[in-house]
Amino acid sequence: MPLFLPPVPAELPTIEPKLLLRDVQVVREAGLPVVTFTLRSLPEEGWLALQWFPPAGDEVASASLWLTSEDVGSERRAEFPADVERAQAGRWRVVMSWEGAFVRQLEWSEPAE
């Protein structure tokens, strides 16, 4: 059976850089949820938006992180605002977006008081 390899085009298509994150997680520090991640690649400098949601209801807080090429390879953090009440027990979530496009959603559980 002959082996066929398609020819490689003379001009390869350009691969557009995109935002890539790794090791994304929610950890607890001093009782507050903190989103941590390592920036793997960044298409351009800009704002990473985070929106925090309770188990049922609308957004209760938001935050933004300015990302630059110097941040690539380093860990970044976003803390849940300490002045926002987390009295609702259940599964909370944080939604991350870049230039208005969804990037990631993370969940964690708040225990009943």
Side-chain angles (χ1 to χ4, degrees):
M1 181 177 282
L3 177 63
F4 172 75
L5 297 173
V8 177
E11 292 184 30
L12 294 174
T14 304
I15 298 174
E16 296 295 326
K18 59 168 102 169
L19 177 75
L20 294 175
L21 309 175
R22 70 170 193 240
D23 304 325
V24 184
Q25 60 185 339
V26 176
V27 297
R28 282 198 186 274
E29 293 182 3
L32 290 176
V34 178
V35 174
T36 64
F37 62 90
T38 301
L39 186 59
R40 186 170 164 202
S41 72
L42 183 68
E44 62 186 35
E45 293 184 348
W47 292 101
L48 177 69
L50 296 99
Q51 297 170 301
W52 307 83
F53 294 89
D58 295 330
E59 172 186 337
V60 294
S62 63
S64 297
L65 295 175
W66 180 253
L67 301 178
T68 67
S69 58
E70 294 174 0
D71 296 321
V72 173
S74 64
E75 182 180 271
R76 294 298 309 263
R77 310 160 39 83
E79 298 177 2
F80 186 89
D83 61 338
V84 175
E85 179 129 359
R86 296 183 334 274
Q88 294 182 27
R91 296 182 70 91
W92 284 65
R93 62 193 167 99
V94 59
V95 174
M96 303 168 75
S97 59
W98 174 259
E99 296 183 350
F102 173 82
V103 174
R104 183 83 48 104
Q105 176 176 299
L106 301 167
E107 295 181 347
W108 77 96
S109 293
E110 284 292 331
E113 293 182 352

